[in-house]
Amino acid sequence: MKAMVPVTAKKDFLRWFLKRYRLKRRECVWILNYLLSNEHLLTNVHFTDEAHHCPRAMIISTTEVDSIPFRFYKGNLMTADAEKSFHDLRLHPDEKMFIQLNFRNSNKCPEYASVAEENPYLPEDLLTKKKDQEIAERLLEESFTLTTNDMLLKRIDEALDRGDRELFISLTALLNEMKKDKDQ
């Protein structure tokens, strides 16, 4: 796990998150607001992915994603009852709590990245599978880009050979757009 995230950063993130997203369950808003009001609890809260592997965890989803609204895990227990998790937070403030927030583009969100921590409970084979999947996705994306690029160049040449000015301009614009997207 990387260096501990300061409580102030967690508070700032939770305020930001609650202002921008609607949660599937209103009880989750209460839980997150309760965490905001209790700094001691926040010291033991860790935002992470794949939280279901952790000994004590919550998964909370926003309305715009297609995932479970809420889950609480403790040991071998799993429940969708948000009140049980709230009582567990109150009764065991010194235990670590891992929270996974499911919201659109969470993996690209700098605010979330500033508080997210590595999950120390991930099975090693899952880490390897994830890295392999990321590499495969990157290769597939690069292959698609190269193939599309080659196809556009070929069609541009054909448009030039035929003297089709409109097609040439539109294909060149597409090619330039692809190059601009790649550079960003």
Side-chain angles (χ1 to χ4, degrees):
M1 196 178 287
K2 69 178 185 179
M4 194 169 98
V5 177
V7 170
T8 54
K10 293 175 187 179
K11 280 184 156 188
D12 291 343
F13 168 73
L14 284 174
R15 283 188 196 103
W16 174 88
F17 182 79
L18 287 167
K19 281 181 188 174
R20 281 164 182 76
Y21 294 98
R22 288 190 45 193
L23 303 178
K24 289 185 176 183
R25 302 267 309 270
R26 70 176 188 272
E27 296 93 339
C28 295
V29 175
W30 301 339
I31 290 168
L32 295 179
N33 276 313
Y34 180 66
L35 290 173
L36 261 172
S37 70
N38 191 321
E39 286 192 11
H40 178 70
L41 274 175
L42 268 182
T43 59
N44 292 314
V45 166
H46 305 280
F47 296 99
T48 192
D49 293 324
E50 305 291 336
H52 61 279
H53 291 288
C54 300
R56 185 171 176 241
M58 280 187 235
I59 297 175
I60 297 172
S61 299
T62 60
T63 54
E64 78 273 350
V65 294
D66 186 31
S67 54
I68 56 171
F70 176 83
R71 286 293 184 275
F72 173 65
Y73 299 89
K74 185 165 184 180
N76 293 328
L77 170 83
M78 186 268 301
T79 182
D81 186 347
E83 286 185 34
K84 285 186 180 180
S85 67
F86 178 74
H87 291 300
D88 191 76
L89 273 173
R90 285 188 25 251
L91 295 173
H92 307 285
D94 297 321
E95 290 182 25
K96 288 183 179 187
M97 173 64 77
F98 294 86
I99 298 177
Q100 174 181 328
L101 295 173
N102 296 327
F103 60 101
R104 190 175 349 113
N105 296 325
S106 62
N107 60 335
K108 297 176 184 174
C109 176
E111 291 83 4
Y112 188 53
S114 71
V115 296
E117 300 178 55
E118 265 184 49
N119 185 337
Y121 298 98
L122 275 182
E124 203 151 309
D125 62 331
L126 184 64
L127 283 173
T128 304
K129 286 179 188 174
K130 260 192 162 175
K131 287 178 186 173
D132 288 346
Q133 182 179 359
E134 288 170 6
I135 290 168
E137 286 174 4
R138 199 169 44 243
L139 283 172
L140 187 61
E141 191 174 305
E142 287 175 18
S143 175
F144 176 77
T145 302
L146 286 172
T147 304
T148 305
N149 193 33
D150 289 346
M151 187 260 317
L152 279 173
L153 288 172
K154 183 179 177 187
R155 292 200 55 211
I156 288 170
D157 286 345
E158 291 170 358
L160 279 172
D161 291 342
R162 286 193 315 253
D164 189 340
R165 181 179 163 82
E166 286 182 31
L167 183 59
F168 170 78
I169 290 171
S170 67
L171 292 173
T172 306
L174 273 173
L175 186 63
N176 288 334
E177 189 67 30
M178 277 183 57
K179 286 180 180 178
K180 189 168 59 173
D181 287 346
K182 182 182 172 190
D183 293 339
Q184 288 178 352

